[in-house]
Amino acid sequence: MSGIIGVLALQGGVVEHLAHLAALGLPARRVRQAADFEGLTGLILPGGESTCLSRLLRRYGLDREIAAGLRAGLKLWGTCAGAILLAREVVGETASLGLMDIRVQRNAFGSQLDSFNRTLQVPAVAPEPIPLTFIRAPKILRLGTAVSPLLEIDDYCAAAEDRDILVTVFHPELTPSLAFHRYFAGKCGIPLPPREDVPADWQADSWVDYAPIPCHPRHAAGGAGRGRSAG
Ligand code: GLN
């Protein structure tokens, strides 16, 4: 087990995930081609635009690499568009990777302007309430028997997992919370000590303006930058 977590870097919210992994002191790598899978323990499929991501995955043959990686023990985490890519069923569309037995509905809350923040308890992930950012998010409408819900809200599921795959319809990487990245590290077999990490000045009504996460010293020199993405 290498302890390296990859972030699929074709389109979408890549640098935000890299910054969160760096803040936890976890070795991470951008994944753009088959060779980048070498020695990975986990792979994050970021938010972005799932049709675009799906086409790029196929064009570069990374759909096959991800499926083969999963069979070989690679852990996967899809955030928002990443969760759509992983779903076996997508309402009204052909599924992309189809690796997790869930049914999702894209853009289930409306337009980009209907994006929002919530701060909610996710007991399996952290003892304190976690800020959650939904950007033109999907809803998870059905879970297969091997899939467990981590967070259910109203009529939908917002986070779920099976043995090897985590999906969140929201974006932990766009908040100051490291809780979900720490949780995924644990799923990858890289346990990290739990601790409170949401600054007291976190504003639940903004999903873009938040205090930068301090970089772990190990990554401070060449660390990931910050940017805005995820569509
Ligand atoms: N609406 C996008 C899609 O359906 C997902 C948005 C996101 O990843 N924030 O692909």
Side-chain angles (χ1 to χ4, degrees), residues 109-122:
F109 298 89
S111 80
Q112 193 84 355
L113 294 176
D114 299 306
S115 301
F116 60 95
N117 281 316
R118 299 281 298 268
T119 299
L120 294 172
Q121 200 87 37
V122 189

Side-chain angles (χ1 to χ4, degrees), residues 117-153:
N117 281 316
R118 299 281 298 268
T119 299
L120 294 172
Q121 200 87 37
V122 189
V125 173
E128 72 280 0
I130 306 175
L132 309 170
T133 292
F134 295 69
I135 301 180
R136 212 176 186 206
K139 286 183 178 179
I140 304 171
L141 300 177
R142 183 191 65 77
L143 305 180
T145 48
V147 182
S148 312
L150 293 171
L151 176 62
E152 291 175 294
I153 308 172

